[in-house]
Amino acid sequence: MTAAEEQNAAHPRFAEALLELGLDDLPSQIRRFPDATRTAAEAAAAVGCELSQICKSLIFAADGVPVLVLMDGASRVDLELVRRELGAEKVTRARADLVRETTGYAIGGVPPFGHRTKTRVLADRSLLDHDIVWAAAGTPYTVFPMDPKTLIAHAGAALVDVREQSE
């Protein structure tokens, strides 16, 4: 692997998904950092962007069925709003093993698309507040930039309002 390839190394499954989606130019935009970008705050600091420009990919269990929620990095997901949106009885944060089983990635590196299994995807409207957002590229050390409308479309997400409102 050349230095350039190492710099842009995405998770192999994610790199494959990009090719399948026709996003051949995206691998060259993936940025790899020496320190982890597991949290939105770590990613924003590494990239040098606003916290809200980070797109978090979070897995929840709605009546035991995995669902992916895409949320801006400065906000929290309101589980009650997700529950209502899905018409579910109960929504909980997914355990680490369910996240890996569903997506094929570890928490802290879950990208918004390119997962092992097809899941329902909700994207909070707050992502549209930016021209560019940054999301994980399959590892806790890699992120990529994309305009939010394109990211939401590739994720197959429904646009919703599930952000926790500050009081």
Side-chain angles (χ1 to χ4, degrees), residues 36-97:
T37 54
R38 265 189 189 89
T39 68
E42 289 171 346
V47 170
C49 69
E50 297 289 323
L51 185 57
S52 61
Q53 286 179 270
I54 301 299
C55 175
K56 299 187 287 192
S57 299
L58 307 167
I59 298 288
F60 295 90
D63 296 337
V65 177
V67 61
L68 172 65
V69 177
L70 304 176
M71 177 60 70
D72 79 81
S75 301
R76 293 176 55 93
V77 174
D78 185 321
L79 295 183
E80 177 58 20
L81 293 176
V82 172
R83 187 192 69 72
R84 280 193 235 144
E85 187 66 42
L86 298 173
E89 292 290 319
K90 183 178 180 185
V91 174
T92 58
R93 193 171 283 280
R95 295 181 329 273
D97 59 334

Side-chain angles (χ1 to χ4, degrees), residues 2 16-17 19 27 29-30 34 46 100 111 148 162:
T2 68
E16 190 176 301
L19 295 178
Q29 297 175 54
I30 293 172
R100 189 179 285 279
V162 293

